[in-house]
């Protein structure tokens, strides 16, 4: 079976699958959020919890301090009301400034995702974009250990 057929059949690609027991101590979620994406985060969290009532992981939110990358205290408060296990991590944007001319301004903060490779203490890190909806059970992502798992963009993957 070719990779193309796997994508068409499953909508996901999961190489090297083995069992995993995810919990709050060994698994975290990572997202990049700025003030303009807070409403998407809140809707996304609700959609996850609606379909996954036992969802209980640390959710690390990377954000900057410069205009367009920052999170206000009000935004942080709203996000914390939507999900209690949230951790805000302000990223040192200077690290990425050399790429500023190569990345559209509205996508600059996406570079902060590279910070997930510096996280310590977690065996599993799921990086999720918040401008989406969860349409079902995510337990497979937490019950299995993957070297890398990627979802195709777009479509309804029920």
């Amino acid at each position: 079976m070719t990779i193309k057929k796997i994508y068409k059949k499953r909508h996901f690609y999961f190489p090297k699958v083995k069992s995993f027991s995810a919990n709050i101590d060994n698994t975290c979620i990572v997202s990049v959020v700025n003030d303009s994406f807070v409403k998407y985060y809140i809707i996304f969290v609700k959609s996850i919890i609606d379909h996954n009532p036992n969802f209980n992981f640390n959710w690390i939110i990377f954000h900057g301090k410069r205009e367009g990358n920052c999170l206000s205290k009000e935004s942080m408060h709203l996000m914390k009301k939507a999900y209690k296990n949230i951790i805000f991590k302000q990223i040192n944007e200077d690290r990425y400034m050399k790429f500023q001319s190569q990345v559209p301004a509205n996508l600059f903060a996406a570079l902060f995702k590279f910070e997930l490779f510096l996280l310590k203490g977690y065996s599993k890190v799921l990086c999720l974009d918040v401008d989406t909806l969860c349409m079902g059970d995510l337990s497979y992502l937490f019950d299995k250990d993957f070297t890398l798992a990627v979802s195709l963009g777009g479509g309804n993957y029920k």
Side-chain angles (χ1 to χ4, degrees):
M1 182 177 283
T2 67
I3 290 176
K4 196 171 194 174
K5 286 182 183 175
I6 291 171
Y7 279 126
K8 284 184 178 179
K9 194 171 192 175
R10 292 177 148 173
H11 303 290
F12 296 93
Y13 176 57
F14 299 113
K16 190 181 172 187
V17 179
K18 58 184 177 180
S19 292
F20 186 80
S21 183
N23 60 56
I24 196 166
D25 295 320
N26 67 10
T27 301
C28 73
I29 313 302
V30 170
S31 297
V32 176
V33 180
N34 62 24
D35 282 333
S36 63
F37 276 80
V38 170
K39 63 184 173 188
Y40 299 111
Y41 172 82
I42 292 168
I43 292 167
F44 184 46
V45 165
K46 182 176 178 355
S47 73
I48 288 177
I49 293 169
D50 284 351
H51 295 286
N52 302 272
N54 295 322
F55 186 88
N56 185 33
F57 301 99
N58 288 331
W59 198 322
I60 301 171
I61 301 297
F62 293 150
H63 66 92
K65 62 181 176 182
R66 292 186 171 103
E67 185 179 341
N69 303 328
C70 63
L71 272 174
S72 67
K73 289 186 189 237
E74 181 182 341
S75 291
M76 290 181 192
H77 176 73
L78 290 171
M79 292 171 72
K80 204 158 190 66
K81 277 178 57 178
Y83 188 72
K84 64 181 177 184
N85 293 338
I86 195 168
I87 300 167
F88 297 101
K89 184 164 176 38
Q90 186 173 307
I91 301 304
N92 178 358
E93 295 159 289
D94 294 339
R95 206 180 269 182
Y96 300 100
M97 292 310 291
K98 61 185 167 196
F99 301 109
Q100 188 174 19
S101 65
Q102 299 170 15
V103 178
N106 64 323
L107 297 178
F108 181 79
L111 295 172
F112 301 165
K113 291 178 185 177
F114 288 117
E115 297 285 323
L116 67 87
F117 295 102
L118 301 175
L119 290 174
K120 302 223 183 307
Y122 295 103
S123 299
K124 179 183 285 248
V125 176
L126 272 72
C127 184
L128 301 174
D129 286 343
V130 299
D131 57 345
T132 187
L133 287 174
C134 177
M135 304 290 289
D137 183 11
L138 297 177
S139 62
Y140 191 78
L141 290 174
F142 299 105
D143 296 342
K144 303 295 180 203
D145 190 15
F146 312 101
T147 304
L148 175 67
V150 179
S151 170
L152 295 176
N156 182 345
Y157 300 137
K158 282 185 182 182

